[in-house]
Amino acid sequence: AQSVTQPDIHITVSEGASLELRCNYSYGATPYLFWYVQSPGQGLQLLLKYFSGDTLVQGIKGFEAEFKRSQSSFNLRKPSVHWSDAAEYFCAVDSSYKLIFGSGTRLLVRP
Amino acid sequence: SAVISQKPSRDICQRGTSLTIQCQVDSQVTMMFWYRQQPGQSLTLIATANQGSEATYESGFVIDKFPISRPNLTFSTLTVSNMSPEDSSIYLCSVEEGNGGMNTEAFFGQGTRLTVV
């Protein structure tokens, strides 16, 4: 069965530091992969997505993610974190037009 | 991009009662999805609602507990029936635009925060 694993429940980084959020997936075919962000009291906003082609995907707000088929991973990165990036981040895989979400990683940003 | 409006944004309900959540989209979409996000948890798909057919429920969710309507291509409702405190969650409506290709993207409503007391 398809699944998404986000091994880190919480991550704390200092403002200005780099960030990497991990995501591993289990999917039989070529996956469609997504990263969403959920700020407190807000709905989900799409940061970026991977369908095919270039394995390094650029998204909004300075985020990028790299698809590594050999590792079944789609890690999210940002070179310099801003305080406004504090939120919950969800990795997801598209399975027959349905999204399967990981458990989420809560990002805390130290001033 | 689709704009989704959900009502109510939050509610506090007595156990044993039912609440109907409305989801309005500003464009016609084939599939609408209802998700549940329990406190501190990820999103779990409840069901997929296609216009003109019965909703398709995921494992662990049944129509009697979560009846869904889909009267047209821009609107859907989810009812949480005979509520118990375990139903306290955020319920989110979602639509997907695109045809499975690179332009495919899911959009989410702001969610309905339900507390059952």
Side-chain angles (χ1 to χ4, degrees):
Chain A
Q2 296 86 353
S3 66
V4 177
T5 302
Q6 292 180 248
D8 304 306
I9 298 174
H10 295 102
I11 282 187
T12 301
V13 300
S14 297
E15 191 169 15
S18 63
L19 170 70
E20 182 168 31
L21 302 182
R22 296 184 290 167
C23 172
N24 293 95
Y25 67 89
S26 172
Y27 192 74
T30 300
Y32 293 168
L33 295 160
F34 305 82
W35 274 99
Y36 283 87
V37 60
Q38 185 180 38
S39 299
Q42 303 289 312
L44 275 78
Q45 182 181 23
L46 179 69
L47 286 175
L48 46 78
K49 57 187 176 183
Y50 171 79
F51 280 81
S52 64
D54 194 346
T55 56
L56 185 62
V57 180
Q58 301 297 320
I60 63 171
K61 303 184 179 185
F63 285 93
E64 67 178 26
E66 186 171 12
F67 170 63
K68 293 185 178 180
R69 184 187 299 277
S70 62
Q71 298 176 19
S72 298
S73 70
F74 189 56
N75 295 347
L76 182 71
R77 301 193 295 247
K78 186 169 184 178
S80 178
V81 169
H82 188 263
W83 64 266
S84 61
D85 293 324
E88 186 94 20
Y89 291 80
F90 293 97
C91 182
V93 63
D94 184 304
S95 173
S96 302
Y97 296 101
K98 301 180 295 189
L99 287 177
I100 298 173
F101 285 87
S103 54
T105 298
R106 181 167 296 278
L107 174 64
L108 305 173
V109 180
R110 279 193 297 257
Chain B
S1 62
V3 177
I4 302 172
S5 302
Q6 263 186 255
K7 288 193 296 187
S9 58
R10 59 177 62 223
D11 207 343
I12 300 173
C13 301
Q14 297 288 327
R15 67 178 68 200
T17 63
S18 298
L19 175 72
T20 295
I21 303 168
Q22 299 180 1
C23 178
Q24 179 76 52
V25 189
D26 68 343
S27 58
Q28 294 185 336
V29 293
T30 303
M31 290 191 284
M32 296 179 75
F33 306 87
W34 287 98
Y35 287 85
R36 181 176 72 182
Q37 186 178 20
Q38 293 177 298
Q41 306 279 324
S42 184
L43 285 79
T44 303
L45 182 64
I46 298 172
T48 304
N50 291 337
Q51 194 268 336
S53 63
E54 285 205 3
T56 303
Y57 289 82
E58 298 298 305
S59 176
F61 298 96
V62 296
I63 188 171
D64 290 347
K65 176 67 176 177
F66 298 101
I68 287 172
S69 79
R70 183 79 202 274
N72 56 53
L73 291 173
T74 64
F75 187 78
S76 178
T77 68
L78 169 77
T79 299
V80 186
S81 303
N82 188 24
M83 288 183 285
S84 67
E86 291 71 36
D87 295 319
S88 298
S89 294
I90 298 173
Y91 293 86
L92 295 109
C93 172
S94 172
V95 303
E96 192 166 279
E97 289 189 334
N99 297 311
M102 297 208 42
N103 62 339
T104 298
E105 182 173 339
F107 298 92
F108 290 83
Q110 295 286 76
T112 296
R113 182 180 294 273
L114 170 62
T115 302
V116 183
V117 298

